[in-house]
Amino acid sequence: MIVGGGFAGLACARALDGKDVDVLLLDRHNFHVFSPLLYQVATALLNPSDIAYPFRSIFRRSRNVRFRQATVVSTDPENRTVRLAAGDDVAYDSLVVATGSANDYFANQTLAEHTLGMKTLAEALGLRNHILASLELAARSASAEERRTCLTFVVAGGGPTGVEFAGALAELLHLVLGRDYPELRREDARVVLVEGLDRLLGQFAPPLGTYAERTLKDRGIEVRTGTLVEKADDDHVVLSTGEQVPTRTVVWSAGVRPVDPLGVDDDRRSRSRRLRVDPFLRLEGAADVHVIGDAAAVQANGGGELPMLSPPAMQAGRYVARAITARVEGDDAGIPPFRYVDKGTMATIGRRSAVADIHGLRLRGSLGWLTWLFVHIYYLIGFRNRAVVLASWSWNYLRRDRPIRLILRSRSDRLTTEVDPVD
Amino acid sequence: MIVGGGFAGLACARALDGKDVDVLLLDRHNFHVFSPLLYQVATALLNPSDIAYPFRSIFRRSRNVRFRQATVVSTDPENRTVRLAAGDDVAYDSLVVATGSANDYFANQTLAEHTLGMKTLAEALGLRNHILASLELAARSASAEERRTCLTFVVAGGGPTGVEFAGALAELLHLVLGRDYPELRREDARVVLVEGLDRLLGQFAPPLGTYAERTLKDRGIEVRTGTLVEKADDDHVVLSTGEQVPTRTVVWSAGVRPVDPLGVDDDRRSRSRRLRVDPFLRLEGAADVHVIGDAAAVQANGGGELPMLSPPAMQAGRYVARAITARVEGDDAGIPPFRYVDKGTMATIGRRSAVADIHGLRLRGSLGWLTWLFVHIYYLIGFRNRAVVLASWSWNYLRRDRPIRLILRSRSDRLTTEVDPVD
């Protein structure tokens, strides 16, 4: 039984497809999301269906992988069962926990209440609605001050997600202000990117972080490094420097925390609250439970934990699939400990600009951008999605258009900017 | 000022684009919807953005048409102002009311509460979520009876919308049951189409209604003509014949009522509650207010009212634009009364099957289907949407796939089939 169909769980299920085991994949959604592109859904470039793929389609031809849409609320390791939110228990022989992570606000309640996340497809759609509704509110506002507040967007967190989103948002605003919104001027819009470290893209080599900062600044984005978002309310944020920014939109990409249904004590978790695993990715003290992806604290070769990114998650998923297959075949001794192969990291900043850090090979600008394009298209699931995403990107690049600017409110929107109280 | 950006309001605004008048278009959404294809969104074939287009993109190059997202709650004909839901008043010189229609349940509260509509994009998405969630619930159910209830879909209303939706739904079920859902058998699914008249497609020539009924029955759909849906609750409907059908899904396409913010008395309305207009489409007793589309009771050439369909709406929109332009140019006498030119009606039933009734020329089967395809692609707004829809249809036709099967719940979903209480 695999709980969670993100990069880790899906890679594991795919690697077990066709093998001599029965696989039950559980996820609370009926689709896998290619999460590195969520920021493009949030900025009205891609449709949800371009980066999401139903699990049942993925395993349509499989004879041993089944899917069930369900939320696991707890586990019972004694009886080897999991409890579903609907109330029923399901038994397993071997459990793979791949439940990922969620936004973390470091116990700051004002941030939890007044910021918008981008971790799930529903959050990305909520963010899209919020941004577009903010533009409509600004367009109808008679007060210059209110207009500026509606058009100020603060992004908390200067990692890849924050950098990519800030770049794409600035591009969107540049495209529509003064054109689709003749009432609004480009000068009224502000994008403020706030990062606690003293440079952007902390995971990358320092020159790439510097390059990203310069590129974003050239595109009109205000970058505040060495700064934290301390407090947020309906129309302000307060930064750790004391600066107050009037805004109705704070996007949260500054912290995530692992999520799992195991309910184990803190002493079986690392400092980041990820579950401690042995070198074979088994939960400490439970040989029939593997943990992979963001939920697991895996020691990196150079010390520290592997980052919460898709490459280690996918490699761990495939490793656990091999380990399970070997055990079923009675070949338990043959599997060496898990070893992560770092293939590099990359982030796009906007039109013809990206950074990639591949074993010390540092790409930037157009070359980095083309590498980014190629890698993302390659990893997207399913022929249809690849074709649609490529077409959307070409359209965006050639026509400088953002076609999907629909305000379609969702029940799960955490913050809603209602354009009108009656709907 | 044009209130409402459906087919009527949009046609009027487009015809006034470039003319010597200032046009303010108001709509409660920021996009126009090509509503004849809503049923394809509801059956997971098209994305919302394929059939919706932001008003601001449509009028990006216009120098005299402006858009504002707003809901009009009342009008003040004395002062020539409208009141918006946000509270402010906006003045007009000439008002065009194009506010359309909404679902009508004939004061039957159980139907209002326990059926799903397909009149708006949000409703179509809610219906898609409901259908897909019903399949997931059926797949996890241990009881054969519950499984059948989840897989029974009742469609109320055998007009074009009901016929098209029933055909597309049967196709979707045929595609995924037993394939993406190996737990479910095609024989467990039922689609029941209920129509009050004694034949389907009452607006069409009788042989076409007979053809549609035969085609739907060949595809496994149960058709009940001369029958009404009388009562609905959480897991049943009761038909006027006394038949009880266990189901959790009743789709409502059996009635609409006009909607307008004018607040005028019943004596200025027709029996269908549409606003009475003079032969020049002006509200009776108000020369500066035009009413077009579903909200207006326009006398047809052959007696009766024009149907609530897009062709009369678009023709009325263009007519009113001409009338307003003529009046501005001081050429008030030159505009003859509105005259509707009937170009025919059509409806698709499914894969390579449709009916079209064009001045007595009755097309059916593949020829009707190709005609339907051509006309719908032609009328879709914007090059991008046409290309995307054509690509989706080709994909569906060639691969027999429904790519967009994502359950993404919406706050406006009226009925929700929660796959899980925790989300």
Side-chain angles (χ1 to χ4, degrees):
Chain A
M1 179 187 299
I2 303 172
V3 181
F7 283 110
L10 182 62
C12 186
R14 289 188 134 187
L16 287 172
D17 188 7
K19 298 288 186 296
D20 197 20
V21 287
D22 286 323
V23 179
L24 176 62
L25 174 64
L26 303 178
D27 195 281
R28 65 195 167 116
H29 296 121
N30 75 330
F31 49 80
H32 169 75
V33 179
F34 190 81
S35 46
L37 293 180
L38 279 171
Y39 79 95
Q40 298 204 353
V41 170
T43 51
L45 177 57
L46 293 180
N47 262 308
S49 69
D50 298 339
I51 63 162
Y53 213 75
F55 288 113
R56 290 185 183 275
S57 298
I58 299 172
F59 296 107
R60 181 183 291 160
R61 281 175 189 83
S62 172
R63 49 167 193 77
N64 68 319
V65 182
R66 284 175 307 134
F67 169 74
R68 182 160 160 188
Q69 186 177 2
T71 307
V72 173
V73 289
S74 63
T75 58
D76 180 349
E78 298 273 306
N79 296 310
R80 291 191 174 173
T81 57
V82 301
R83 166 124 335 150
L84 305 184
D88 37 341
D89 292 333
V90 186
Y92 64 84
D93 295 317
S94 177
L95 180 67
V96 180
V97 176
T99 38
S101 55
N103 291 310
D104 188 21
Y105 307 97
F106 312 112
N108 185 328
Q109 197 55 33
T110 73
L111 296 180
E113 279 169 17
H114 295 279
T115 65
L116 291 152
M118 223 187 333
K119 277 287 286 178
T120 67
L121 198 49
E123 283 180 349
L125 277 171
L127 184 51
R128 181 184 84 184
N129 290 337
H130 184 90
I131 293 167
L132 298 175
S134 297
L135 297 182
E136 291 297 332
L137 285 176
R140 69 150 74 161
S141 170
S143 135
E145 195 190 324
E146 195 192 329
R147 208 152 50 226
R148 259 188 93 75
T149 303
C150 286
L151 292 180
T152 299
F153 302 90
V154 175
V155 183
T161 308
V163 165
E164 294 188 317
F165 174 74
L169 177 62
E171 225 170 72
L172 170 68
L173 295 172
H174 189 78
L175 280 174
V176 299
L177 297 183
R179 199 168 69 142
D180 290 25
Y181 292 84
E183 311 89 327
L184 304 174
R185 294 175 313 155
R186 285 178 184 168
E187 304 84 75
D188 290 336
R190 288 176 75 189
V191 178
V192 185
L193 179 61
V194 183
E195 165 60 43
L197 298 178
D198 59 359
R199 63 183 173 89
L200 299 179
L201 300 178
Q203 297 162 313
F204 290 68
L208 295 180
T210 315
Y211 169 79
E213 183 170 343
R214 204 176 56 233
T215 310
L216 289 176
K217 281 180 171 168
D218 285 350
R219 295 175 185 200
I221 294 163
E222 304 172 33
V223 179
R224 309 263 192 282
T225 49
T227 309
L228 298 169
V229 176
E230 296 227 309
K231 222 165 65 180
D233 63 21
D234 277 344
D235 47 16
H236 277 90
V237 286
V238 182
L239 306 184
S240 57
T241 53
E243 183 185 358
Q244 295 213 2
V245 183
T247 180
R248 289 196 182 141
T249 313
V250 187
V251 180
W252 189 254
S253 62
V256 293
R257 62 183 165 76
V259 183
D260 64 72
L262 295 182
V264 304
D265 295 337
D266 282 0
D267 59 350
R268 292 170 74 188
R269 298 175 185 277
S270 74
R271 266 191 60 201
S272 62
R273 296 194 51 76
R274 295 164 98 177
L275 294 161
R276 282 190 211 281
V277 291
D278 68 15
F280 302 92
L281 305 187
R282 294 176 299 202
L283 181 66
E284 280 187 2
D288 53 356
V289 179
H290 287 94
V291 189
I292 52 178
D294 292 0
V298 183
Q299 293 306 309
N301 310 335
E305 290 175 11
L306 288 180
M308 292 192 186
L309 289 173
S310 53
M314 288 192 286
Q315 290 183 28
R318 287 191 291 263
Y319 169 84
V320 166
R322 275 200 310 277
I324 290 173
T325 315
R327 196 173 60 203
V328 168
E329 290 165 356
D331 181 23
D332 220 357
I335 293 290
F338 173 65
R339 197 163 171 283
Y340 172 56
V341 182
D342 186 358
K343 291 180 185 159
T345 30
M346 49 181 63
T348 180
I349 305 165
R351 204 173 174 77
R352 282 205 290 170
S353 183
V355 293
D357 191 344
I358 304 164
H359 292 299
L361 172 67
R362 292 168 197 159
L363 304 174
R364 60 181 78 166
S366 295
L367 187 58
W369 189 67
L370 287 173
T371 311
W372 182 93
L373 272 184
F374 176 78
V375 169
H376 279 76
I377 285 286
Y378 179 80
Y379 277 107
L380 257 185
I381 264 176
F383 165 74
R384 180 183 179 276
N385 290 28
R386 272 181 222 167
V388 172
V389 169
L390 200 59
S392 295
W393 285 347
S394 312
W395 181 268
N396 171 46
Y397 185 77
L398 297 173
R399 300 272 310 233
R400 297 174 176 264
D401 193 10
R402 293 294 171 112
I404 308 171
R405 299 206 315 279
L406 314 178
I407 304 178
L408 272 167
R409 287 215 204 81
S410 164
R411 190 150 56 96
S412 51
D413 287 2
R414 289 186 51 247
L415 290 176
T416 47
T417 301
E418 303 269 358
V419 177
D420 252 340
V422 176
D423 196 27
Chain B
M1 178 186 298
I2 303 172
V3 182
F7 284 110
L10 182 62
C12 186
R14 290 189 132 187
L16 287 172
D17 187 7
K19 298 289 187 296
D20 197 19
V21 287
D22 287 323
V23 179
L24 176 62
L25 174 64
L26 302 178
D27 195 282
R28 66 195 166 117
H29 296 122
N30 76 331
F31 49 80
H32 169 75
V33 179
F34 191 80
S35 46
L37 292 181
L38 279 171
Y39 79 94
Q40 297 203 352
V41 171
T43 50
L45 177 57
L46 292 180
N47 262 307
S49 70
D50 299 339
I51 63 161
Y53 214 74
F55 288 114
R56 290 184 184 273
S57 298
I58 299 173
F59 295 107
R60 179 183 292 160
R61 283 175 187 83
S62 172
R63 49 167 193 75
N64 67 319
V65 181
R66 283 176 307 134
F67 169 74
R68 184 161 159 187
Q69 186 179 2
T71 307
V72 173
V73 288
S74 64
T75 57
D76 180 349
E78 298 274 304
N79 296 310
R80 289 190 173 172
T81 58
V82 301
R83 164 122 338 149
L84 305 184
D88 40 339
D89 292 333
V90 185
Y92 64 83
D93 295 316
S94 178
L95 180 68
V96 179
V97 176
T99 38
S101 56
N103 291 312
D104 188 22
Y105 306 97
F106 312 113
N108 184 329
Q109 196 56 32
T110 72
L111 296 180
E113 279 168 20
H114 295 278
T115 66
L116 290 152
M118 224 190 330
K119 276 288 285 179
T120 67
L121 198 49
E123 283 180 350
L125 278 171
L127 184 50
R128 181 185 82 183
N129 289 337
H130 183 91
I131 293 167
L132 298 175
S134 297
L135 297 183
E136 291 297 332
L137 284 176
R140 70 151 73 161
S141 171
S143 134
E145 195 188 326
E146 195 192 329
R147 209 153 49 227
R148 258 188 94 74
T149 303
C150 286
L151 293 180
T152 299
F153 303 91
V154 175
V155 183
T161 309
V163 165
E164 294 187 318
F165 174 74
L169 176 63
E171 226 169 71
L172 169 68
L173 294 172
H174 189 78
L175 280 174
V176 300
L177 297 182
R179 199 168 68 141
D180 290 24
Y181 293 83
E183 311 89 329
L184 304 175
R185 294 176 312 156
R186 285 180 184 166
E187 305 83 75
D188 290 334
R190 288 176 75 189
V191 178
V192 185
L193 178 62
V194 182
E195 163 61 41
L197 299 178
D198 59 0
R199 63 184 172 90
L200 299 179
L201 300 177
Q203 298 162 313
F204 290 67
L208 296 181
T210 314
Y211 169 78
E213 183 169 342
R214 203 176 57 233
T215 310
L216 289 176
K217 282 180 171 167
D218 285 349
R219 294 175 185 201
I221 294 162
E222 303 172 33
V223 180
R224 309 264 193 280
T225 48
T227 308
L228 298 169
V229 176
E230 297 226 309
K231 222 167 63 182
D233 62 22
D234 277 344
D235 48 14
H236 277 91
V237 287
V238 181
L239 307 184
S240 57
T241 51
E243 182 184 359
Q244 295 213 3
V245 183
T247 180
R248 289 194 182 144
T249 313
V250 187
V251 180
W252 188 254
S253 62
V256 292
R257 64 184 161 75
V259 183
D260 63 72
L262 295 181
V264 304
D265 294 338
D266 282 0
D267 59 349
R268 291 170 72 187
R269 297 177 185 275
S270 74
R271 265 190 61 200
S272 60
R273 295 197 50 77
R274 296 165 98 178
L275 293 160
R276 280 190 212 281
V277 290
D278 69 14
F280 301 92
L281 304 187
R282 295 176 300 201
L283 180 66
E284 279 188 3
D288 52 357
V289 179
H290 286 95
V291 190
I292 53 180
D294 291 1
V298 182
Q299 293 305 310
N301 311 335
E305 290 175 11
L306 289 180
M308 293 191 185
L309 290 173
S310 54
M314 289 193 283
Q315 290 183 29
R318 288 191 289 263
Y319 169 84
V320 166
R322 276 201 308 279
I324 290 172
T325 316
R327 196 172 61 201
V328 168
E329 289 165 356
D331 181 24
D332 219 358
I335 293 291
F338 173 67
R339 199 164 170 282
Y340 171 57
V341 182
D342 186 359
K343 291 179 184 157
T345 29
M346 49 182 62
T348 179
I349 304 164
R351 205 172 172 77
R352 282 204 291 171
S353 182
V355 293
D357 191 344
I358 304 164
H359 293 300
L361 173 66
R362 291 166 199 161
L363 304 175
R364 61 180 78 165
S366 296
L367 187 59
W369 190 66
L370 288 172
T371 311
W372 181 93
L373 271 184
F374 176 78
V375 169
H376 280 76
I377 285 286
Y378 180 82
Y379 277 106
L380 256 186
I381 265 177
F383 165 73
R384 179 182 181 277
N385 291 28
R386 269 181 226 168
V388 171
V389 169
L390 200 57
S392 295
W393 285 348
S394 310
W395 181 269
N396 171 46
Y397 184 75
L398 296 173
R399 300 272 311 232
R400 297 173 177 260
D401 193 11
R402 293 293 171 113
I404 310 172
R405 300 205 316 274
L406 314 178
I407 304 178
L408 273 166
R409 287 213 204 83
S410 165
R411 190 151 55 97
S412 51
D413 286 2
R414 288 184 52 248
L415 290 176
T416 48
T417 302
E418 303 269 359
V419 176
D420 252 341
V422 175
D423 198 25

